[in-house]
Amino acid sequence: MSETPLRVGIVGTGRISDLHAIEYMQNPRGRITALCDRNAALARSRAEAWGCTDAAIEEDFEALLARNDVDLVELLLPHHLHLPAALKAIEAGKIVSLQKPMCMDLAEADRLVAAAEAHDRPFKIFENFIFHPPVMKAKALVAEGAIGEPLSIRIKSNPGKSRTAWEVPKEADAWRQEMDKAGGGPLVFDDGHHKFALAWHFMGMPEEVHAFIHHTQRPDGGWFDAPSMISFRFPGSRIGNLEVVYSPELEIAGQYYAQDDRVEITGTHGVIWINCGHGSIGNSSPVVLYRNGQVTEYCDIASGWEQSFIQSTRHFLNVLHDGGEPVLTARQGRSVLRFALAAEQSAREGRAIEVREDD
């Protein structure tokens, strides 16, 4: 494609749209030309905050799709709207970036994979955690052989409280409490997509998933699917797990969600720790490597959670202009969804679930 900026339409201007907009506002390869939300006042306020006062404001999604000044649509919608919105955007001939998880179930995902792969324009499932700079550094260390062959991955997701985190609008939380709109719980299925994507990113697809998922009432009347433990078995006798714990009185530093995320990757020769995600606990270095009796701390890494959105969008813009494959493709997004759905199925049925790529 030419160096002419891609004209971007943001569909859904809720809380998370602020992070999706950052790279489009600063990268000459993209420019926000339209915003769409049923709440036009909210869309206008976002346009003003982003300095995009000349962007068109649409209340109707199909009206945005009909615009000739929109090349790419960023779909930031509740999960149950992902499939119909993405199919309409494909039919309209747009480049598509669809918020995770791609769909509610595998039947929907199969329809979307078929449509995306038949589409003559790029299609991306938006996943940001694998583009978080500490994760990218850890991935580079693994690729260099810093820990030898990876044997296991341990992921800890820990919501708590924060005096510095942003306020999540009630409507953004409300639909995540409804299974027919969310498809799964807010921590294991929704936010858990990031963690399953991390496990997939470092270890590939598992062969088996076994999960215990419990529910805890929150002080505000809502619920979290925690405490939960999801175990994975990968080919070659490699293993992993995701532990989700809600600690209502745990103070967490960060300007976004009141949540800390930690990762430990163990190999034949060493161990890597990633010590931050949405937020952080304490002042640990973003990435720490142990090998040959020596500890190496990598401190000079941009670790703000917004950086993961910036890098994910930057990669997509570079792909659109220079060629290559987006991450995640529709098929890769289906793999991560299959991983997440196996955890939900295991918890419901009380048994380990075998996972195959052709499921």
Side-chain angles (χ1 to χ4, degrees):
M1 294 185 179
S2 70
E3 286 297 327
T4 302
L6 285 161
R7 299 165 297 179
V8 180
I10 305 287
V11 182
T13 56
R15 177 79 279 179
I16 205 69
S17 66
D18 284 331
L19 297 178
H20 283 267
I22 295 174
E23 182 65 7
Y24 291 126
M25 292 189 290
Q26 64 187 15
N27 193 317
R29 289 182 159 182
R31 179 168 61 89
I32 297 172
T33 56
L35 289 79
C36 180
D37 200 291
R38 289 181 299 179
N39 184 341
L42 177 62
R44 289 191 190 93
S45 70
R46 286 287 190 270
E48 291 173 5
W50 302 340
C52 304
T53 53
D54 59 342
I57 305 296
E58 299 283 1
E59 296 181 57
D60 180 72
F61 177 49
E62 294 189 6
L64 180 133
L65 292 180
R67 297 189 65 91
N68 293 325
D69 60 351
V70 171
D71 305 306
L72 183 160
V73 290
E74 192 82 40
L75 301 177
L76 311 178
L77 300 167
H79 304 161
H80 69 296
L81 300 176
H82 285 189
L83 178 64
L87 291 177
K88 287 182 179 180
I90 289 172
E91 186 178 356
K94 305 300 184 184
I95 300 167
V96 180
S97 174
L98 175 64
Q99 179 64 286
K100 61 78 193 166
M102 65 185 293
C103 291
M104 300 276 279
D105 56 43
L106 290 181
E108 287 191 351
D110 288 338
R111 288 182 61 193
L112 189 49
V113 168
E117 293 184 347
H119 191 34
D120 62 356
R121 308 203 78 184
F123 183 97
K124 170 188 175 178
I125 304 299
F126 191 94
E127 171 53 52
N128 57 293
F129 256 56
I130 61 176
F131 286 99
H132 194 214
V135 172
M136 295 171 73
K137 179 62 178 179
K139 182 70 170 177
L141 288 170
V142 170
E144 293 166 9
I147 60 170
E149 292 297 318
L151 300 173
S152 74
I153 184 166
R154 298 172 59 190
I155 305 171
K156 178 71 171 282
S157 180
N158 198 178
K161 67 177 184 178
S162 177
R163 289 168 290 187
T164 57
W166 61 11
E167 182 179 352
V168 179
K170 291 182 179 179
E171 57 271 20
D173 181 64
W175 67 261
R176 288 179 167 87
Q177 303 282 305
E178 301 179 39
M179 296 297 283
D180 61 335
K181 294 181 179 178
L187 295 180
V188 176
F189 184 71
D190 182 14
D191 181 67
H193 189 281
H194 299 308
K195 283 66 181 185
F196 294 118
L198 285 175
W200 167 85
H201 188 54
F202 283 101
M203 306 290 283
M205 277 295 284
E207 292 180 329
E208 186 176 70
V209 177
H210 193 194
F212 298 96
I213 301 176
H214 302 284
H215 287 190
T216 297
Q217 292 298 122
R218 304 185 322 222
D220 63 5
W223 63 276
F224 275 147
D225 41 342
S228 298
M229 177 67 77
I230 300 94
S231 300
F232 338 123
R233 181 172 59 82
F234 300 97
S237 300
R238 297 170 303 133
I239 58 173
N241 67 64
L242 165 62
E243 178 184 340
V244 182
V245 179
Y246 171 45
S247 304
E249 298 304 320
L250 178 66
E251 185 66 33
I252 295 173
Q255 65 183 103
Y256 303 108
Y257 294 109
Q259 184 169 328
D260 173 64
D261 309 284
R262 305 184 291 279
V263 181
E264 177 183 289
I265 306 163
T266 301
T268 53
H269 291 67
V271 183
I272 291 172
W273 291 272
I274 304 170
N275 296 313
C276 53
H278 289 86
S280 63
I281 296 174
N283 297 310
S284 301
S285 300
V287 177
V288 177
L289 167 67
Y290 175 81
R291 179 178 171 125
N292 295 331
Q294 300 293 320
V295 174
T296 304
E297 299 188 35
Y298 297 90
C299 303
D300 190 20
I301 301 174
S303 58
W305 192 51
E306 74 283 352
Q307 293 297 325
S308 63
F309 288 80
I310 290 169
Q311 295 299 327
S312 183
T313 300
R314 184 173 300 168
H315 179 269
F316 192 36
L317 287 173
N318 289 343
V319 163
L320 295 175
H321 282 82
D322 303 331
E325 286 286 315
V327 178
L328 304 168
T329 63
R331 191 164 292 275
Q332 290 171 334
R334 185 195 185 280
S335 293
V336 178
L337 177 65
R338 177 69 186 101
F339 197 164
L341 289 173
E344 299 288 335
Q345 181 184 356
S346 173
R348 284 195 310 271
E349 299 180 4
R351 64 183 181 91
I353 302 298
E354 291 186 3
V355 179
R356 300 187 305 272
E357 283 284 9
D358 59 352
D359 282 353

